[in-house]
Amino acid sequence: MFVVGLTGGIGSGKSTVADLFAAHGVSLVDTDLIAHRITAPHGMAMPPIAAEFGPAFVAADGSLERARMRELVFSDEGARKRLEAITHPLIRAQTKREQREAQGPYVIVVVPLLVESGSWKHRVNRVLTVDCSVETQIARVMSRNGFSRDQVLAIIARQATREARLAAADDVIDNDNAPLGTLKAQVDKQHRAYLSLAGA
Ligand code: ADP
């Protein structure tokens, strides 16, 4: 199956673009959703997380104590690595499983941190970056999540730069001030190119 890795910074419009591809019958695999599912109650990552970090990181319902873990890995790089050593292989395995089961002419895997976690680039046939300016990201995430400007800037500072994401891209969707019609036209064109690359 031909696999497109879709990436972009927070608020760039990954979900919006992914939905436009899905409207063409393209299968989506969302690694954020998988990450959430494996740390939900009785999720596959929960026994090893409990063993590694202790019961304080497991909520009463058996899911991850997200706020506590976020706080820990924000300030402790070693802890972040230990967490990722548990979650990343599980996310990769589940992604593969969903790719295998995918219907449609090709599959789009949404990987927010594709550029940051280098190995993803080798697991996809094409990298598609959704691009917009940092100011646009800030405005969208402030409005979508109710975050302050500083909160959004702190998240952006931890992600790859706009330039790095563009450098990693085989294809780019320009989603800076793009009205929905323009965005859809770009997706339609890219979809035709992927159909042809996928041999569909
Ligand atoms: P991501 O998945 O990359 O974080 P989203 O697709 O959720 O980004 O988009 C972030 C926010 O910006 C959402 O509220 C979305 O509706 C809005 N948005 C995305 N693209 C556009 C656009 N071209 N015009 C206006 N709003 C947009």
Side-chain angles (χ1 to χ4, degrees):
M1 177 77 91
F2 187 79
V3 182
V4 176
L6 189 156
T7 193
I10 184 167
S12 59
K14 292 180 295 296
S15 312
T16 308
V17 167
D19 287 347
L20 290 170
F21 276 100
H24 284 289
V26 177
S27 283
L28 297 183
V29 177
D30 183 333
T31 57
D32 258 0
L33 202 64
I34 293 172
H36 202 272
R37 229 184 284 137
I38 63 173
T39 52
H42 312 298
M44 270 188 300
M46 290 317 297
I49 286 176
E52 178 72 31
F53 293 93
F57 288 88
V58 184
D61 66 358
S63 66
L64 180 66
E65 277 283 6
R66 290 179 203 287
R68 183 174 296 212
M69 184 57 89
R70 213 176 296 125
E71 201 178 306
L72 175 71
V73 300
F74 204 79
S75 57
D76 182 341
E77 186 63 15
R80 189 177 63 81
K81 290 224 164 77
R82 285 191 288 135
L83 177 66
E84 289 178 354
I86 295 169
T87 56
H88 283 185
L90 291 172
I91 294 170
R92 277 199 296 271
Q94 183 60 24
T95 300
K96 258 194 206 152
R97 218 169 289 137
E98 292 189 17
Q99 272 174 212
R100 265 200 307 273
E101 290 162 6
Q103 306 288 317
Y106 62 96
V107 59
I108 291 192
V109 185
V110 184
V111 191
L113 300 181
L114 185 142
V115 175
E116 289 83 344
S117 39
S119 67
W120 272 105
K121 208 170 152 41
H122 308 290
R123 292 170 211 281
V124 299
N125 299 104
R126 290 301 270 196
V127 173
L128 174 62
T129 292
V130 182
D131 178 63
C132 72
S133 70
V134 170
E135 277 310 317
T136 300
Q137 284 181 279
I138 295 170
R140 285 189 190 144
V141 179
M142 284 176 72
S143 127
R144 183 189 63 186
N145 298 65
F147 290 172
S148 70
R149 183 181 178 87
D150 282 351
Q151 278 175 306
V152 186
L153 279 172
I155 297 168
I156 290 173
R158 295 174 66 82
Q159 298 190 337
T161 61
R162 182 182 187 185
E163 290 70 30
R165 269 192 300 265
L166 287 172
D170 296 302
D171 310 297
V172 176
I173 298 270
D174 172 10
N175 189 27
D176 203 44
N177 299 319
L180 192 63
T182 317
L183 194 60
K184 196 174 170 307
Q186 289 184 71
V187 169
D188 292 354
K189 183 163 175 242
Q190 199 60 63
H191 172 63
R192 285 194 296 274
Y194 289 149
L195 281 179
S196 151
L197 284 171

